Amino acid sequence: MTTEQRVRQAALELFAARGFHGTGIRDLAVSAGLSSATLYHYMGTKEDLLVAIMRESLTRLNRAAARIAETEDAQDRLAKLVALHVMTHAVQQLETRVVDNEMRALSPQPRKEILKLRDEYEAFWQQAIENGCAQRRFHTNAPGVARLALLEMCGGISRWYSPDGPLSLDDIVLHYIDMALGMLHAQPEPGQRVVNEVAGLIAEIWPQ
Amino acid sequence: MTTEQRVRQAALELFAARGFHGTGIRDLAVSAGLSSATLYHYMGTKEDLLVAIMRESLTRLNRAAARIAETEDAQDRLAKLVALHVMTHAVQQLETRVVDNEMRALSPQPRKEILKLRDEYEAFWQQAIENGCAQRRFHTNAPGVARLALLEMCGGISRWYSPDGPLSLDDIVLHYIDMALGMLHAQPEPGQRVVNEVAGLIAEIWPQ
Amino acid sequence: MTTEQRVRQAALELFAARGFHGTGIRDLAVSAGLSSATLYHYMGTKEDLLVAIMRESLTRLNRAAARIAETEDAQDRLAKLVALHVMTHAVQQLETRVVDNEMRALSPQPRKEILKLRDEYEAFWQQAIENGCAQRRFHTNAPGVARLALLEMCGGISRWYSPDGPLSLDDIVLHYIDMALGMLHAQPEPGQRVVNEVAGLIAEIWPQ
Amino acid sequence: MTTEQRVRQAALELFAARGFHGTGIRDLAVSAGLSSATLYHYMGTKEDLLVAIMRESLTRLNRAAARIAETEDAQDRLAKLVALHVMTHAVQQLETRVVDNEMRALSPQPRKEILKLRDEYEAFWQQAIENGCAQRRFHTNAPGVARLALLEMCGGISRWYSPDGPLSLDDIVLHYIDMALGMLHAQPEPGQRVVNEVAGLIAEIWPQ
DNA sequence: CATGAATGAGTCTTCATTCAT
DNA sequence: GATGAATGAAGACTCATTCAT
């Protein structure tokens, strides 16, 4: 692991655990094993670090979502988005927590950029839901509310998931798919196939 | 409004908007219309302010949840919890955002107290779900996961609800009840009655 | 002397002696007898301090020059400007050194303001010179060059004048008037009357 | 241009524009097109750079002044000094600005050396003035004041001269000679001959 | 010859808090 | 009750300089 990566990792852990404003430059330095002056060889400002983390996380998410958007079957498509969201929020827990909680710490310009990425991502969900409604596979009077509810529900896992828990991640994802389809009054869906497929996609986009 | 309430209100707004660490004592003073020295006549430390906000919010929530826990019918009970959670997160938006986001800013001792209150509240949900499963009104293999998913889903509204939006709060709550019951594969439920009842309860516990 | 004035005085002395960039906040604090945190009760930023010093000095200078501009006789008028410039640069040595040397330390916005004040002042000189040329009392082919040369010559005194020197300030001023008129090939001028008059004006505008 | 010269040039430009304390090592590195570590192959400390610039400028000036000091005719001699001072301050603008403004940035030891050089230079002026007074070609009661005034007046050109201005440098120098002789109540002097002579001298001492 | 890495001391400024008045 | 004054510690960040490679 390069020093730059160690700095990034330290930022990731601390921003996730204490928040951007709760993390001092010295905390970062200690956590990366550097003096606080040396830190500045490997980063721009503290905010740059935050932006980089968010940008990368959202960019990858969007790349995956774009691939999923090609799925024809409406139920499959939503199930895949659920699997993607749940699995990344479980496994990329730190990144997603930072993305979800620290937006307000951004100054106007980077905030604009990051918000755009997030809106892009949410658009994939909105389209998937509306598409399913149009095909009469989903039933809801308020697709916008459903989108928000789904995203919150599926993203929440980043706050509690642990690989040491009693349920396997696959099982959890299957539950979430089940709940999500239930929320939209769609037909239940076996799901394991979807999970496998998305797991492959994730492995491709978040290598190693 | 007493000066103390003004201070509390200022803290509420700023902690919700910028986070605990993102809010300075001077910001509070300006927002409350006081000098920062005077502020200390009406509060203890900055953290005390945070604890007080969280404690009050969770205590009231628990009081309401305890009343709802008396409801016999399992579907009614869950629907009421959903209504309570959604409505408070919509209307007491600032308080709930602070409770949900700033826990990590607490130092160990107060954190323990607040976590206990939150666990208490979550227990009402866990019991309601398990009770419904036992009565075969809900169907899920992972009630714990369902609880977490439900809470995240219903609480997320604090991040986007505005009274000026296109949907009335009642409508939104009905949607959430519908989605929640769908998630648990329960029978759909008309719901408006439940909404009215919980609205009354809320009016009683959060007076005015 | 109020604390605020002590801070101002410290800034004046240090900026004059070491320059803006050569003066640290700690130097200011030590010199004012305060901790560097306390310093910030009495000032904005370090630059604010610089701007305030410059603004006041130039504003007063302009007020005095405006009064002198009413003088009808061309030679009198120029002699008075010389007396004003020399005397202030001798007695308000620190202020004028700061004004003359630290302009480049200003950031764009305040620089604009201060430059405007300085241009205003130089305009009084330009008019006085051109007026004398028009009346055929002064003889020069390049009034602009003369203005610049006069200002530099008369302002340079701030770099070496000391009240303990062998010549009285009045004598020095008389010499300067003599040299200035010589430069412009004007009739020599007794001058003491002018010096007295300007001394009165200065006492009025820089009270005490 | 060797790398060392590029470093020197960068220092010259930056010290002149922003002052010694306003110029960082990194600024120098960027301006010289080197990394800040490489910079140290071509220089000692930042202060060494400043001293070298000052020393060279003053040494050359003294060499030229020494040659001029051989001039017999008092008026010629002063006119040549004026021409030398004005022309170098116009053409070697950056060097002379640094010499005139950054003396205070020197630490005691180098300051002593540089001050000695400057005093040496001023002595040529003092002698020229006193010589002219003794010969009754100049008339002033305070030759010391006249020297200071002359030097400030003639040196000020470094703050505003540009080869793109409306007047040729020769014309400006002629004006300055005229003003200088006027200040000393000497006979006017045609001057162009003097200018040409000094221009030759300068070309010899500041080659290229 | 060149530089990435490193740093202790420094930069200006703000922090939460106390206290005498 | 209210506040101006005060501060040690900390905030993010830059400084001039060294050195191993």
Side-chain angles (χ1 to χ4, degrees):
Chain A
M1 185 150 66
T2 69
T3 306
E4 201 175 347
Q5 286 170 326
R6 286 219 319 279
V7 171
R8 178 76 152 271
Q9 186 63 24
L12 190 52
E13 283 163 14
L14 290 171
F15 289 171
R18 310 181 193 173
F20 181 76
H21 288 305
T23 301
I25 283 288
R26 282 161 170 157
D27 301 325
L28 284 172
V30 167
S31 179
L34 300 170
S35 79
S36 55
T38 305
L39 209 58
Y40 281 88
H41 263 280
Y42 299 96
M43 53 175 271
T45 64
K46 201 176 78 154
E47 189 178 22
D48 288 343
L49 224 37
L50 177 60
V51 172
I53 289 170
M54 290 180 154
R55 180 164 34 219
E56 182 180 329
S57 181
L58 283 170
T59 303
R60 287 206 157 118
L61 211 49
N62 276 332
R63 214 174 326 151
R67 292 274 289 278
I68 289 172
E70 298 159 5
T71 309
E72 297 258 319
D73 181 79
Q75 240 158 293
D76 259 36
R77 189 156 137 202
L78 191 87
K80 284 182 187 170
L81 284 177
V82 168
L84 171 66
H85 204 72
V86 171
M87 289 171 94
T88 51
H89 276 71
V91 176
Q92 316 287 326
Q93 198 163 88
L94 303 179
E95 287 87 341
T96 50
R97 260 191 238 171
V98 170
V99 169
D100 292 343
N101 297 327
E102 302 304 325
M103 206 82 85
R104 67 185 171 198
L106 293 171
S107 50
Q109 218 178 0
R111 168 184 254 135
K112 218 178 124 187
E113 180 203 341
I114 299 299
L115 276 178
K116 203 181 150 215
L117 289 173
R118 202 202 52 182
D119 290 349
E120 223 173 298
Y121 178 65
E122 298 202 353
F124 289 115
W125 282 77
Q126 187 70 16
Q127 286 154 17
I129 294 166
E130 285 176 355
N131 175 258
C133 289
Q135 292 182 24
R136 307 219 140 260
R137 306 284 294 278
F138 303 155
H139 304 91
T140 174
N141 296 326
V145 172
R147 185 195 80 237
L148 290 161
L150 278 166
L151 282 166
E152 291 293 343
M153 176 181 86
C154 297
I157 195 176
S158 71
R159 302 194 191 184
W160 56 266
Y161 172 76
S162 154
D164 305 329
L167 291 176
S168 76
L169 181 53
D170 274 19
D171 282 345
I172 294 173
V173 177
L174 288 172
H175 276 298
Y176 269 91
I177 291 173
D178 179 66
M179 290 188 288
L181 294 175
M183 275 171 67
L184 296 168
H185 305 291
Q187 294 303 320
E189 159 93 19
Q192 184 62 52
R193 179 186 41 87
V194 157
V195 174
N196 294 342
E197 221 174 302
V198 172
L201 178 60
I202 287 176
E204 185 184 326
I205 291 180
W206 281 265
Q208 194 217 42
Chain B
M1 187 148 66
T2 69
T3 306
E4 201 175 345
Q5 285 170 326
R6 287 222 315 283
V7 171
R8 177 76 150 270
Q9 186 61 25
L12 190 52
E13 283 163 12
L14 291 171
F15 290 170
R18 309 181 195 171
F20 180 75
H21 289 304
T23 301
I25 283 286
R26 280 161 171 155
D27 301 324
L28 286 172
V30 167
S31 181
L34 300 171
S35 78
S36 55
T38 306
L39 213 57
Y40 280 87
H41 272 276
Y42 298 97
M43 52 174 270
T45 65
K46 201 174 80 154
E47 190 179 20
D48 289 343
L49 220 39
L50 177 60
V51 173
I53 288 169
M54 289 180 154
R55 180 164 34 219
E56 181 178 330
S57 181
L58 283 170
T59 302
R60 287 204 156 122
L61 211 49
N62 277 333
R63 214 175 323 153
R67 292 273 291 277
I68 289 172
E70 297 160 5
T71 309
E72 298 258 320
D73 182 79
Q75 238 158 293
D76 257 36
R77 191 155 135 201
L78 190 87
K80 284 182 188 170
L81 283 177
V82 167
L84 171 67
H85 204 70
V86 171
M87 289 171 94
T88 51
H89 276 72
V91 177
Q92 316 288 324
Q93 200 163 83
L94 303 180
E95 288 87 341
T96 50
R97 262 191 235 170
V98 171
V99 169
D100 292 344
N101 296 328
E102 302 304 325
M103 204 83 82
R104 66 189 172 195
L106 293 171
S107 48
Q109 215 178 4
R111 168 184 255 136
K112 218 177 122 186
E113 178 201 343
I114 299 299
L115 275 178
K116 201 181 150 215
L117 289 174
R118 202 201 55 181
D119 290 348
E120 223 172 298
Y121 177 65
E122 297 201 354
F124 288 116
W125 282 75
Q126 187 70 14
Q127 286 153 18
I129 293 167
E130 285 176 356
N131 175 258
C133 289
Q135 292 181 24
R136 310 220 140 257
R137 307 283 295 279
F138 304 156
H139 304 91
T140 174
N141 296 326
V145 172
R147 183 194 82 235
L148 290 161
L150 278 166
L151 281 166
E152 291 293 341
M153 175 182 88
C154 297
I157 195 176
S158 71
R159 302 194 190 185
W160 56 265
Y161 172 75
S162 153
D164 305 328
L167 292 176
S168 76
L169 181 53
D170 274 19
D171 282 345
I172 293 173
V173 176
L174 288 171
H175 276 298
Y176 269 90
I177 291 173
D178 180 66
M179 291 188 289
L181 293 175
M183 275 171 66
L184 296 168
H185 304 291
Q187 294 304 320
E189 160 91 20
Q192 184 63 52
R193 178 185 42 87
V194 157
V195 174
N196 294 342
E197 220 173 302
V198 173
L201 178 59
I202 286 176
E204 185 183 326
I205 291 181
W206 282 267
Q208 197 213 44
Chain C
M1 186 148 69
T2 69
T3 305
E4 201 176 346
Q5 286 170 327
R6 286 219 319 280
V7 170
R8 178 77 152 270
Q9 187 61 24
L12 189 52
E13 284 163 13
L14 291 171
F15 290 170
R18 309 183 192 172
F20 181 75
H21 288 306
T23 302
I25 283 289
R26 282 161 170 160
D27 302 325
L28 284 172
V30 167
S31 179
L34 299 170
S35 79
S36 56
T38 304
L39 211 57
Y40 280 88
H41 263 280
Y42 299 97
M43 53 174 272
T45 64
K46 201 174 77 152
E47 190 179 21
D48 288 344
L49 224 37
L50 177 60
V51 173
I53 289 169
M54 289 181 155
R55 179 163 34 218
E56 182 178 330
S57 181
L58 282 170
T59 303
R60 286 207 157 119
L61 210 49
N62 277 332
R63 214 173 326 150
R67 292 274 290 278
I68 289 172
E70 297 160 7
T71 309
E72 298 258 320
D73 182 79
Q75 240 158 292
D76 258 36
R77 189 156 135 202
L78 190 86
K80 284 183 188 171
L81 283 178
V82 168
L84 171 66
H85 204 70
V86 171
M87 289 172 94
T88 51
H89 276 71
V91 176
Q92 317 288 325
Q93 200 164 84
L94 302 180
E95 286 87 341
T96 50
R97 261 192 237 170
V98 170
V99 169
D100 292 343
N101 297 328
E102 302 305 324
M103 205 82 84
R104 66 185 172 200
L106 291 171
S107 49
Q109 217 179 1
R111 168 183 254 135
K112 217 178 125 189
E113 180 202 341
I114 299 299
L115 276 177
K116 202 180 151 217
L117 289 173
R118 202 203 52 182
D119 289 349
E120 222 173 299
Y121 178 65
E122 299 203 352
F124 288 115
W125 282 77
Q126 186 69 17
Q127 285 154 17
I129 294 167
E130 286 177 355
N131 174 259
C133 289
Q135 291 182 24
R136 308 220 140 261
R137 308 283 295 278
F138 303 156
H139 304 91
T140 175
N141 297 325
V145 172
R147 183 195 82 237
L148 290 160
L150 278 167
L151 281 166
E152 291 293 342
M153 175 180 87
C154 297
I157 194 177
S158 71
R159 303 195 190 185
W160 55 266
Y161 173 75
S162 153
D164 305 330
L167 292 176
S168 77
L169 181 52
D170 273 20
D171 282 344
I172 294 173
V173 176
L174 287 172
H175 277 298
Y176 270 91
I177 291 173
D178 180 65
M179 291 188 288
L181 293 175
M183 275 171 66
L184 295 167
H185 304 291
Q187 294 304 321
E189 159 92 20
Q192 184 63 51
R193 178 186 42 86
V194 157
V195 174
N196 294 342
E197 220 173 301
V198 172
L201 178 59
I202 287 177
E204 186 184 326
I205 289 180
W206 282 265
Q208 196 214 43
Chain D
M1 186 149 65
T2 70
T3 305
E4 201 175 346
Q5 285 171 326
R6 286 221 316 282
V7 171
R8 179 76 151 269
Q9 187 61 25
L12 190 51
E13 283 162 14
L14 290 172
F15 289 170
R18 310 181 194 171
F20 180 76
H21 289 304
T23 301
I25 283 286
R26 281 161 171 156
D27 301 325
L28 286 172
V30 167
S31 181
L34 300 171
S35 79
S36 55
T38 305
L39 212 58
Y40 280 87
H41 272 276
Y42 299 97
M43 53 175 269
T45 65
K46 201 174 78 154
E47 189 178 22
D48 289 343
L49 221 39
L50 177 60
V51 173
I53 289 169
M54 289 179 155
R55 179 163 35 219
E56 181 179 333
S57 180
L58 283 170
T59 303
R60 286 204 157 123
L61 210 49
N62 277 332
R63 212 172 327 149
R67 292 273 289 281
I68 288 172
E70 298 160 5
T71 309
E72 297 259 320
D73 182 78
Q75 240 159 292
D76 259 35
R77 188 155 137 204
L78 190 87
K80 284 184 188 171
L81 284 177
V82 167
L84 171 67
H85 204 70
V86 171
M87 288 171 93
T88 51
H89 276 71
V91 176
Q92 315 288 324
Q93 198 164 85
L94 303 180
E95 287 86 340
T96 50
R97 261 190 237 170
V98 171
V99 169
D100 292 343
N101 298 326
E102 302 304 324
M103 205 82 83
R104 66 187 172 197
L106 293 171
S107 49
Q109 215 178 4
R111 167 184 256 136
K112 219 178 122 187
E113 178 201 344
I114 299 299
L115 276 178
K116 202 180 151 216
L117 289 173
R118 201 201 53 182
D119 290 348
E120 224 173 298
Y121 178 65
E122 298 202 355
F124 289 116
W125 283 76
Q126 187 69 16
Q127 286 153 18
I129 293 166
E130 284 176 356
N131 175 259
C133 288
Q135 291 182 25
R136 307 219 139 261
R137 307 282 295 280
F138 304 155
H139 304 90
T140 174
N141 298 325
V145 172
R147 185 194 81 237
L148 289 162
L150 277 167
L151 281 166
E152 291 292 342
M153 175 181 88
C154 297
I157 195 176
S158 71
R159 303 196 191 185
W160 56 265
Y161 173 76
S162 154
D164 305 329
L167 292 176
S168 76
L169 181 53
D170 274 19
D171 282 345
I172 293 173
V173 176
L174 288 172
H175 276 297
Y176 270 90
I177 291 173
D178 179 67
M179 290 188 289
L181 293 175
M183 274 171 67
L184 295 168
H185 304 291
Q187 294 303 321
E189 159 91 18
Q192 183 62 54
R193 178 186 41 85
V194 157
V195 173
N196 294 341
E197 219 173 302
V198 173
L201 177 59
I202 287 177
E204 185 184 324
I205 290 181
W206 281 266
Q208 190 218 45

